[in-house]
C-alpha cells in the first residue's frame, strides 16, 4: 500500500514534488489541485486527476498526506489551517518571524479535526534549522552562523525589475569568503547579514537607458541593497536567458564551540548545501518528511509538528534493522 | 531537578563527559565508577563520589542516565548489556560491523529490566550516521561518501610502535583532496577507502636504528598501510610531544544526488567536522543524547534506541516554543 500524496498548487514547487514522488517507490501521486481551470493544466504524471481546489473535500479519504505548494506571503497562512481540517498536511512556510503564529493556527485546526500537520519543511527553515539545533545542543559554549548562497533571491530580482529602464534582472546572494573563513577559524566574530553576504545583479536595460542611473538606483535602494556591497552587470536579454535562467541556491550553517576542562579545545561543525534548483531540493525535503508525517499520523499523533519532532529513522523507506546495519 | 549522570570508566572519554556535563546547566554529575582503586583517582569535579564498579548497583536510584566510557573491543560488549539491567545507559560502541548484535543484546537486557538504552552515539557512528540517513532520504537518486580525517588513528599509531626500533609514533588519516573534489562535482566516482585517504606517520626511531628498514616495514604492513599512499617522517621525541600530542579528528559526509523530471538537476549536501579533540567532541555528543534518552525514558520508552530514534527537539535544553521561535 503506497502513501497517497496530494499536491495543492502546481508551480515550481508543485512540479518538484511531482518529480520527487516519482523517485520514491513507496509513494504515489493521488491528485493535483489547482485554482486555475483544471482542463487547461497538463501535469507530468500520466493518469493522475487534476482537480479544482474547490473540489478538494471529495478527496478526504483518497489522500494520506496533502503537500501544500503555495507561497508564504498570502497562500499558506490561509490554506494550511484550512486544509489541516480535512487532511494531514505539510507546508514549507518560510517567513521566519511569523512561524510561531502560523504554528498555533495550524496546531489548533489539526487538533480540532484529529489530523497531523507539519509546517516550515524545506532547507531554511528545515534542514538548516535542524543543523542549528544539533550544533547548539552538542556545543553549548559556542556560536552558530547561517550564510545563504550563492543563490537567486526572487524578491531582490523583482525589486530591480521595478526600476525604470530595466527589462529583466536576476540577483544572486553570495556569501563573503573572508567572513566564512573568519567563522571557521573559531574566533566567533560578530557579523551582520551585510558583512556575511554580497549581492551580484545581472541586469538587462532598455535600449538607450541610462545605465549609470540604473546602477545608482539599485545600489542605493533601501532595505534591499543600500546596506550591502552590490555588484551590477549589464548584459543582453539573450545572455540572461542562456546563463541565468536557473534557480540555484544553497548556503552554510556553521557552529563553532569549545570543550574541555578549561574550554580551550576548538571544534567546527559545518553543514552546507549546493543546490542547482532551490524548488526541486525543497520539494525533495518535503517529500521525505511527508513519509515521516504519514508514519507519525498512523501512530496516532495529532496537531502541528515541525522538523524538530521527526526521528530521522521515520524519513527513510528502509526498515529499521536495515538502517542499523547499513547506515549507523 | 537536574538530570543525574553517572560516568562508568574514567579515561579520555570519561573526562570529556565530565567537562561536557559542566557545560549543561540542566545536568549534574552523580558519580564516577572505576575499576581501579577509587581512593587513588582524583576527578575534576569537587564533591562527586568516585566509586568502584563493584558497587554500581547501590546507585540504582541515584542515577538517571549512566554513560559508559569504555572501549568497543572488550568493555562495551559486556558492560552495556549488564548495566542496561540496572540503569538507562548510553554508549559509543563504534565497531560498525558488530552493531546489529550489540543492539540485540542491549535491547533484550533493557526490555527485560524496563530500562531505555542508546548505543553507538558519537560522531561516527552518530552524527555522520544521521547525515548519511538524511542525505539518502532527501536525495534517493544519489550516492553518499564518508571521508575521515585529518585525524589520529590510534590503531595505526599502535601498529607502528610495535615495529622493531620504533620508540613512539603517531599516524594521521588524511582525506585526499582530489577525491573530495571529485565527489563534490556530483560525478559519483567509485572510490575505495584507499583512494579516499592517505596515511601520514610521524615516527621516533631508536638512536642508530635503520630508518629505511622501518619506513619499508610501515609502508608494506598488510591491512594497515600496504593498500594506502603512506608518508613517513622521522622526528625527535621532543617534536612528537610538542606537535603531535593532541587527538584531533573529523571528516566529511557528502551526499550528491539528482532531481527533476529528467533527473538532470544536481545537488550536493555536505556535513563536515573539524575537531581538536576526538574524545571531547564524542563526549559532547553523548551528553546531548543523554538528555534525549532521559526524556524518552520518562515518556515510557523501553529497549535499545539509536541516534535514528531521537527527535532533534529532545536534544535541546530549550523549550519547544523557544526552539520554534529562535531556531526554525
Amino acid at each position: 500500500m503506497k502513501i497517497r500524496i496530494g499536491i495543492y498548487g502546481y508551480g515550481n514547487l508543485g512540479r518538484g514534488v511531482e518529480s520527487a514522488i516519482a523517485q520514491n517507490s513507496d509513494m504515489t501521486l493521488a491528485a493535483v489541485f489547482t485554482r486555475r481551470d483544471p482542463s487547461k493544466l497538463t501535469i507530468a504524471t500520466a493518469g493522475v486527476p487534476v482537480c479544482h481546489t474547490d473540489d478538494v473535500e471529495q478527496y478526504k479519504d483518497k489522500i494520506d498526506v496533502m503537500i501544500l505548494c503555495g507561497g508564504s506571503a498570502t497562500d499558506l497562512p490561509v490554506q494550511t489551517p484550512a486544509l489541516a481540517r480535512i487532511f494531514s498536511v505539510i507546508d514549507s512556510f518560510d517567513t521566519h518571524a511569523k512561524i510561531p503564529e502560523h504554528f498555533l493556527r495550524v496546531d489548533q485546526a489539526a487538533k480540532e479535526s484529529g489530523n497531523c500537520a507539519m509546517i516550515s519543511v524545506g532547507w531554511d527553515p528545515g534542514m538548516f534549522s535542524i543543523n542549528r539545533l544539533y550544533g547548539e545542543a552538542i556545543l553549548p559554549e559556542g556560536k552558530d552562523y547561517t550564510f545563504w548562497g550563492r543563490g537567486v533571491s526572487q524578491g531582490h530580482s523583482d525589486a530591480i525589475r521595478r526600476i525604470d529602464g530595466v527589462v529583466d534582472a536576476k540577483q544572486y546572494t553570495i556569501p563573503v569568503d573572508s567572513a566564512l573563513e573568519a567563522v571557521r577559524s573559531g574566533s566567533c566574530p560578530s557579523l551582520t547579514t551585510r558583512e556575511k553576504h554580497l549581492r551580484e545583479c545581472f541586469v538587462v536595460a532598455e535600449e538607450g537607458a541610462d545605465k549609470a542611473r540604473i546602477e545608482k538606483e539599485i545600489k542605493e535602494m533601501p532595505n534591499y541593497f543600500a546596506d550591502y556591497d552590490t555588484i551590477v552587470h549589464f548584459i543582453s536579454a539573450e545572455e540572461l536567458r542562456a546563463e541565468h535562467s536557473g534557480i540555484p541556491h544553497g548556503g552554510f550553517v556553521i557552529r563553532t564551540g569549545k570543550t574541555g576542562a578549561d574550554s580551550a579545545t576548538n571544534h567546527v561543525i559545518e553543514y552546507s548545501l549546493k543546490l542547482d534548483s532551490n524548488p526541486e531540493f525543497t520539494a525533495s525535503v518535503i517529500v521525505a518528511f511527508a513519509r515521516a508525517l504519514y508514519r507519525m499520523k498512523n501512530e496516532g499523533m495529532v496537531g502541528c509538528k515541525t522538523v524538530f519532532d521527526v526521528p530521522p529513522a521515520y524519513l527513510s523507506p528502509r526498515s529499521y534493522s536495515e538502517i542499523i546495519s547499513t547506515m549507523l
Side-chain angles (χ1 to χ4, degrees), chain A:
Chain A
M1 183 71 174
K2 296 191 179 195
I3 305 171
R4 301 166 301 174
I5 307 281
I7 294 175
Y8 197 88
Y10 196 71
N12 282 334
L13 185 61
R15 283 192 295 273
V17 168
E18 184 180 21
S19 303
I21 292 168
Q23 290 185 324
N24 287 282
S25 59
D26 60 339
M27 297 186 180
T28 183
L29 178 58
V32 171
F33 298 88
T34 178
R35 281 177 296 205
R36 293 173 271 175
D37 177 354
S39 70
K40 288 181 179 155
L41 180 65
T42 306
I43 66 168
T45 316
V48 170
V50 178
C51 314
H52 195 272
T53 49
D54 289 347
D55 302 325
V56 72
E57 280 211 60
Q58 299 170 17
Y59 280 80
K60 188 174 167 40
D61 299 318
K62 294 173 186 165
I63 285 172
D64 295 310
V65 179
M66 182 71 88
I67 298 180
L68 279 70
C69 299
S72 296
T74 56
D75 296 334
L76 299 177
V78 177
Q79 291 173 357
T80 313
L83 289 167
R85 296 190 179 277
I86 312 170
F87 301 97
S88 283
V89 295
I90 185 164
D91 79 15
S92 60
F93 184 79
D94 67 358
T95 312
H96 289 263
K98 293 187 175 170
I99 286 174
E101 58 182 278
H102 186 58
F103 181 92
L104 290 176
R105 270 202 302 268
V106 175
D107 193 47
Q108 189 184 354
K111 279 181 177 156
E112 285 175 7
S113 54
N115 287 319
C116 199
M118 199 177 295
I119 61 160
S120 301
V121 180
W123 59 274
D124 195 0
M127 295 310 299
F128 273 19
S129 320
I130 289 172
N131 277 280
R132 285 188 284 263
L133 190 148
Y134 277 130
E136 185 186 84
I138 294 169
L139 297 174
E141 288 185 18
K143 195 163 156 55
D144 63 60
Y145 298 81
T146 301
F147 291 78
W148 296 276
R150 182 180 183 258
V152 172
S153 165
Q154 217 55 59
H156 288 78
S157 301
D158 292 343
I160 300 171
R161 283 190 207 103
R162 286 192 291 266
I163 293 174
D164 198 45
V166 171
V167 176
D168 204 353
K170 206 92 177 218
Q171 193 267 189
Y172 296 90
T173 305
I174 303 174
V176 174
D177 280 337
S178 59
L180 271 171
E181 286 314 311
V183 166
R184 288 181 183 129
S185 76
S187 68
C188 290
S190 290
L191 294 170
T192 60
T193 301
R194 173 207 200 299
E195 291 168 319
K196 290 194 296 181
H197 302 93
L198 56 87
R199 303 199 171 278
E200 186 171 26
C201 314
F202 294 87
V203 182
V204 181
E206 281 173 13
E207 226 181 289
D210 180 351
K211 291 180 180 171
R213 192 256 313 155
I214 291 172
E215 180 164 345
K216 189 167 182 289
E217 279 194 38
I218 294 172
K219 290 186 171 177
E220 294 178 354
M221 195 184 297
N223 302 319
Y224 285 88
F225 294 99
D227 292 336
Y228 290 83
D229 288 332
T230 301
I231 303 161
V232 177
H233 307 279
F234 288 95
I235 62 174
S236 68
E238 293 68 43
E239 193 180 340
L240 192 80
R241 210 163 23 240
E243 305 292 330
H244 303 284
S245 61
I247 319 173
H249 221 308
F252 304 80
V253 173
I254 304 175
R255 176 87 186 178
T256 63
K258 292 176 188 297
T259 64
D262 45 2
S263 287
T265 315
N266 290 303
H267 307 280
V268 183
I269 307 171
E270 180 167 337
Y271 181 80
S272 70
L273 297 173
K274 193 167 169 294
L275 314 174
D276 281 359
S277 165
N278 185 353
E280 286 180 15
F281 187 81
T282 301
S284 294
V285 176
I286 293 173
V287 165
F289 279 88
R291 176 183 293 118
L293 181 65
Y294 174 75
R295 292 173 177 178
M296 291 161 79
K297 173 197 179 185
N298 284 350
E299 287 186 356
M301 288 192 199
V302 163
C304 188
K305 308 291 172 189
T306 70
V307 294
F308 297 139
D309 297 298
V310 179
Y314 283 43
L315 298 167
S316 174
R318 297 178 188 252
S319 72
Y320 192 76
S321 65
E322 198 182 355
I323 291 171
I324 296 282
S325 61
T326 62
M327 308 181 93
L328 191 58

